[in-house]
């Protein structure tokens, strides 16, 4: 089973790293791929270039064998739609199980993603509950029915995810950290320390390249 965790990673922080690491354990896979988008289709005002974001991810992941980097969207060098990556991944992995992992905040926006109606033929969706986002039972029910409308069926077990290539979804609760890239960018703008919020190598990289200063 392959697990892909996409995002802007602007910059990658320890919340992302913990999440990828815990996800590998929760899904019993050896590794999780972080796949940065070339340009965030959903986000305005992304701070660092795709090359900088990729370099920071490489630095952040270099000491964790459970986290690998998938730079396919950067190699595309134009608008990055998740559907294109899913189609490529499906071709590469044949009938192997493929999971697209994301936080609840991203999952709630899924209906507006380009060609989302084709996703359930290509991959499973793993939704990770993320602290800081108001996530009531009502919100969880709404998310479940939203995913069902998009053609996904809730998996009863991990084995179900592994046995078939695509079309299931699973909600996973992890002890994720309440940190966001926005919080880090804002702290840098205010001249505040980001120590321990990103890895030391990422912090040095941000400083050396004067990223997110204004
Ligand atoms: P921003 O603040 O710029 O919106 P972000 O911190 O949410 O950025 P993204 O790159 O947009 O980071 O996130 C990529 C994925 O990681 C998303 O699915 C998001 O839900 C998830 N994520 C981000 N931060 C955390 C965290 N602290 N814990 C768990 N998941 C996270």
């Amino acid at each position: 089973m392959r697990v892909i965790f996409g995002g802007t990673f602007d910059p990658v922080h320890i919340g992302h790293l913990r999440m990828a690491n815990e996800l590998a354990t929760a899904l019993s896979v050896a590794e999780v791929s972080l796949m940065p988008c070339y340009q965030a289709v959903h986000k305005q005002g992304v701070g660092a270039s795709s090359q900088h974001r990729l370099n920071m991810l490489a630095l952040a992941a270099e000491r964790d064998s459970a986290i690998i980097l998938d730079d396919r969207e950067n190699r595309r060098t134009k608008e990055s739609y998740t559907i294109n990556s899913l189609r490529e991944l499906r071709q590469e992995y044949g009938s192997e199980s493929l999971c697209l992992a994301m936080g609840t905040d991203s999952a709630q926006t899924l209906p507006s993603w380009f060609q989302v109606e084709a996703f359930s033929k290509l991959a499973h969706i793993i939704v990770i509950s993320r602290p800081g986002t108001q996530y009531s039972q009502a919100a969880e029910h709404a998310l479940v029915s939203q995913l069902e409308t998009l053609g996904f069926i809730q998996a009863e077990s991990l084995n179900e995810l592994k046995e078939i290539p695509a079309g299931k979804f699973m909600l996973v609760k992890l002890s994720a950290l309440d940190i966001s890239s926005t919080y880090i960018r804002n702290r840098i703008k205010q001249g505040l320390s980001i120590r321990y919020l990103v890895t030391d190598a990422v912090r040095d990289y941000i400083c050396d390249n004067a990223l997110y200063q204004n």
Side-chain angles (χ1 to χ4, degrees):
M1 183 164 80
R2 309 282 177 156
V3 183
I4 310 284
F5 176 31
T8 318
F9 305 110
D10 193 17
V12 60
H13 52 70
I14 59 162
H16 295 129
L17 300 173
R18 262 317 294 171
M19 191 215 256
N21 195 281
E22 286 195 26
L23 192 59
T25 308
L27 300 180
S28 18
V29 291
E31 54 196 28
V32 167
S33 299
L34 299 189
M35 184 174 72
C37 56
Y38 172 66
Q39 224 171 38
V41 182
H42 284 87
K43 289 188 184 180
Q44 297 294 316
V46 169
S49 69
S50 65
Q51 191 57 52
H52 279 316
R53 288 183 285 120
L54 196 61
N55 292 346
M56 288 188 278
L57 270 168
L59 287 169
E62 71 186 350
R63 302 182 76 170
D64 186 346
S65 60
I67 301 179
I68 55 173
L69 195 48
D70 185 329
D71 68 349
R72 75 184 60 235
E73 299 203 340
N74 283 68
R75 282 187 267 117
R76 230 179 265 137
T77 65
K78 56 180 163 69
E79 258 187 342
S80 65
Y81 288 112
T82 306
I83 187 70
N84 300 330
S85 306
L86 290 181
R87 289 203 172 106
E88 272 181 30
L89 289 159
R90 179 47 65 211
Q91 280 211 321
E92 284 166 32
Y93 299 145
S95 59
E96 201 178 332
S97 166
L98 173 64
C99 297
L100 180 66
M102 63 188 74
T104 41
D105 54 325
S106 298
Q108 280 157 344
T109 68
L110 266 174
S112 66
W113 292 24
F114 186 56
Q115 294 186 357
V116 67
E117 59 288 350
F119 280 28
S120 65
K121 300 274 178 290
L122 297 165
H124 303 303
I125 299 279
I126 307 291
V127 182
I128 302 141
S129 57
R130 181 178 171 181
T133 41
Q134 288 293 320
Y135 198 59
S136 62
Q137 257 201 319
E140 184 166 317
H141 285 313
L143 186 57
V144 165
S145 67
Q146 186 178 290
L147 288 164
E148 287 172 347
T149 306
L150 295 175
F152 292 94
I153 298 167
Q154 189 153 20
E156 304 284 333
S157 68
L158 195 50
N159 273 348
E160 268 189 39
L161 287 182
K162 297 198 172 184
E163 279 160 10
I164 62 165
K168 299 270 178 180
F169 75 91
M170 189 177 245
L171 308 181
V172 180
K173 291 199 166 62
L174 300 177
S175 56
L177 306 167
D178 190 4
I179 300 172
S180 70
S181 300
T182 305
Y183 177 63
I184 288 164
R185 293 193 303 272
N186 285 340
R187 285 187 69 84
I188 296 168
K189 268 187 212 120
Q190 292 164 39
L192 299 170
S193 164
I194 55 163
R195 191 161 206 180
Y196 308 126
L197 297 172
V198 299
T199 67
D200 285 346
V202 170
R203 189 172 63 113
D204 290 346
Y205 187 94
I206 289 172
C207 185
D208 292 347
N209 291 281
L211 301 180
Y212 310 115
Q213 313 261 317
N214 42 49

